[in-house]
PDB file of all heavy atoms in Angstrom:
ATOM      1  N   MET X 414      27.954 -12.713  12.926  1.00 97.00           N
ATOM      2  CA  MET X 414      27.484 -13.867  12.180  1.00 97.00           C
ATOM      3  C   MET X 414      28.535 -14.349  11.196  1.00 97.00           C
ATOM      4  O   MET X 414      28.564 -15.518  10.826  1.00 97.00           O
ATOM      5  CB  MET X 414      26.198 -13.526  11.433  1.00 97.00           C
ATOM      6  CG  MET X 414      24.987 -13.330  12.340  1.00 97.00           C
ATOM      7  SD  MET X 414      23.570 -12.550  11.469  1.00 97.00           S
ATOM      8  CE  MET X 414      23.195 -13.822  10.259  1.00 97.00           C
ATOM      9  N   LEU X 415      29.395 -13.453  10.725  1.00 98.00           N
ATOM     10  CA  LEU X 415      30.380 -13.783   9.754  1.00 98.00           C
ATOM     11  C   LEU X 415      31.643 -14.393  10.326  1.00 98.00           C
ATOM     12  O   LEU X 415      32.551 -14.846   9.600  1.00 98.00           O
ATOM     13  CB  LEU X 415      30.773 -12.539   8.903  1.00 98.00           C
ATOM     14  CG  LEU X 415      29.658 -11.920   8.057  1.00 98.00           C
ATOM     15  CD1 LEU X 415      30.107 -10.643   7.391  1.00 98.00           C
ATOM     16  CD2 LEU X 415      29.133 -12.923   7.026  1.00 98.00           C
ATOM     17  N   ILE X 416      31.763 -14.430  11.664  1.00 97.00           N
ATOM     18  CA  ILE X 416      32.902 -15.092  12.311  1.00 97.00           C
ATOM     19  C   ILE X 416      32.810 -16.578  12.135  1.00 97.00           C
ATOM     20  O   ILE X 416      31.773 -17.164  12.538  1.00 97.00           O
ATOM     21  CB  ILE X 416      32.987 -14.717  13.812  1.00 97.00           C
ATOM     22  CG1 ILE X 416      33.155 -13.202  14.014  1.00 97.00           C
ATOM     23  CG2 ILE X 416      34.135 -15.449  14.486  1.00 97.00           C
ATOM     24  CD1 ILE X 416      33.045 -12.753  15.455  1.00 97.00           C
ATOM     25  N   PRO X 417      33.788 -17.215  11.596  1.00 94.00           N
ATOM     26  CA  PRO X 417      33.688 -18.701  11.405  1.00 94.00           C
ATOM     27  C   PRO X 417      33.554 -19.426  12.747  1.00 94.00           C
ATOM     28  O   PRO X 417      34.177 -19.017  13.747  1.00 94.00           O
ATOM     29  CB  PRO X 417      35.018 -19.073  10.746  1.00 94.00           C
ATOM     30  CG  PRO X 417      35.562 -17.791  10.184  1.00 94.00           C
ATOM     31  CD  PRO X 417      35.079 -16.673  11.091  1.00 94.00           C
ATOM     32  N   LYS X 418      32.771 -20.446  12.748  1.00 91.00           N
ATOM     33  CA  LYS X 418      32.655 -21.279  13.968  1.00 91.00           C
ATOM     34  C   LYS X 418      33.854 -22.182  14.094  1.00 91.00           C
ATOM     35  O   LYS X 418      34.268 -22.848  13.122  1.00 91.00           O
ATOM     36  CB  LYS X 418      31.343 -22.114  13.888  1.00 91.00           C
ATOM     37  CG  LYS X 418      30.049 -21.296  13.834  1.00 91.00           C
ATOM     38  CD  LYS X 418      29.827 -20.531  15.124  1.00 91.00           C
ATOM     39  CE  LYS X 418      28.471 -19.825  15.121  1.00 91.00           C
ATOM     40  NZ  LYS X 418      28.396 -18.735  14.157  1.00 91.00           N
ATOM     41  N   PRO X 419      34.435 -22.282  15.278  1.00 89.00           N
ATOM     42  CA  PRO X 419      35.613 -23.122  15.425  1.00 89.00           C
ATOM     43  C   PRO X 419      35.230 -24.601  15.388  1.00 89.00           C
ATOM     44  O   PRO X 419      34.104 -24.955  15.690  1.00 89.00           O
ATOM     45  CB  PRO X 419      36.176 -22.736  16.777  1.00 89.00           C
ATOM     46  CG  PRO X 419      34.955 -22.231  17.532  1.00 89.00           C
ATOM     47  CD  PRO X 419      34.067 -21.575  16.514  1.00 89.00           C
ATOM     48  N   SER X 420      36.181 -25.419  15.003  1.00 85.00           N
ATOM     49  CA  SER X 420      35.955 -26.863  14.992  1.00 85.00           C
ATOM     50  C   SER X 420      37.273 -27.523  15.414  1.00 85.00           C
ATOM     51  O   SER X 420      38.351 -26.879  15.545  1.00 85.00           O
ATOM     52  CB  SER X 420      35.560 -27.340  13.606  1.00 85.00           C
ATOM     53  OG  SER X 420      36.629 -27.164  12.689  1.00 85.00           O
ATOM     54  N   ILE X 421      37.246 -28.821  15.561  1.00 83.00           N
ATOM     55  CA  ILE X 421      38.446 -29.548  15.945  1.00 83.00           C
ATOM     56  C   ILE X 421      39.523 -29.389  14.856  1.00 83.00           C
ATOM     57  O   ILE X 421      40.709 -29.218  15.110  1.00 83.00           O
ATOM     58  CB  ILE X 421      38.139 -31.047  16.173  1.00 83.00           C
ATOM     59  CG1 ILE X 421      37.219 -31.209  17.389  1.00 83.00           C
ATOM     60  CG2 ILE X 421      39.427 -31.870  16.362  1.00 83.00           C
ATOM     61  CD1 ILE X 421      36.756 -32.630  17.604  1.00 83.00           C
ATOM     62  N   ASP X 422      39.077 -29.429  13.592  1.00 81.00           N
ATOM     63  CA  ASP X 422      40.026 -29.335  12.480  1.00 81.00           C
ATOM     64  C   ASP X 422      40.421 -27.881  12.178  1.00 81.00           C
ATOM     65  O   ASP X 422      41.451 -27.645  11.555  1.00 81.00           O
ATOM     66  CB  ASP X 422      39.406 -29.935  11.219  1.00 81.00           C
ATOM     67  CG  ASP X 422      39.158 -31.449  11.382  1.00 81.00           C
ATOM     68  OD1 ASP X 422      39.988 -32.066  12.070  1.00 81.00           O
ATOM     69  OD2 ASP X 422      38.166 -31.948  10.828  1.00 81.00           O
ATOM     70  N   ALA X 423      39.561 -26.967  12.614  1.00 82.00           N
ATOM     71  CA  ALA X 423      39.861 -25.568  12.304  1.00 82.00           C
ATOM     72  C   ALA X 423      39.529 -24.676  13.497  1.00 82.00           C
ATOM     73  O   ALA X 423      38.573 -23.939  13.574  1.00 82.00           O
ATOM     74  CB  ALA X 423      39.012 -25.082  11.094  1.00 82.00           C
ATOM     75  N   PRO X 424      40.356 -24.801  14.564  1.00 89.00           N
ATOM     76  CA  PRO X 424      40.156 -23.957  15.743  1.00 89.00           C
ATOM     77  C   PRO X 424      40.541 -22.493  15.441  1.00 89.00           C
ATOM     78  O   PRO X 424      41.201 -22.211  14.476  1.00 89.00           O
ATOM     79  CB  PRO X 424      41.117 -24.546  16.753  1.00 89.00           C
ATOM     80  CG  PRO X 424      42.239 -25.155  15.914  1.00 89.00           C
ATOM     81  CD  PRO X 424      41.563 -25.655  14.670  1.00 89.00           C
ATOM     82  N   HIS X 425      40.104 -21.614  16.368  1.00 91.00           N
ATOM     83  CA  HIS X 425      40.531 -20.227  16.191  1.00 91.00           C
ATOM     84  C   HIS X 425      42.045 -20.163  16.312  1.00 91.00           C
ATOM     85  O   HIS X 425      42.620 -20.734  17.236  1.00 91.00           O
ATOM     86  CB  HIS X 425      39.911 -19.322  17.275  1.00 91.00           C
ATOM     87  CG  HIS X 425      38.412 -19.182  17.132  1.00 91.00           C
ATOM     88  ND1 HIS X 425      37.776 -19.116  15.929  1.00 91.00           N
ATOM     89  CD2 HIS X 425      37.437 -19.061  18.075  1.00 91.00           C
ATOM     90  CE1 HIS X 425      36.508 -18.926  16.109  1.00 91.00           C
ATOM     91  NE2 HIS X 425      36.217 -18.937  17.390  1.00 91.00           N
TER      92      HIS X 425
END
Side-chain angles (χ1 to χ4, degrees):
M414 290 168 65
L415 295 176
I416 299 173
K418 299 292 187 292
S420 66
I421 295 175
D422 295 328
H425 292 324

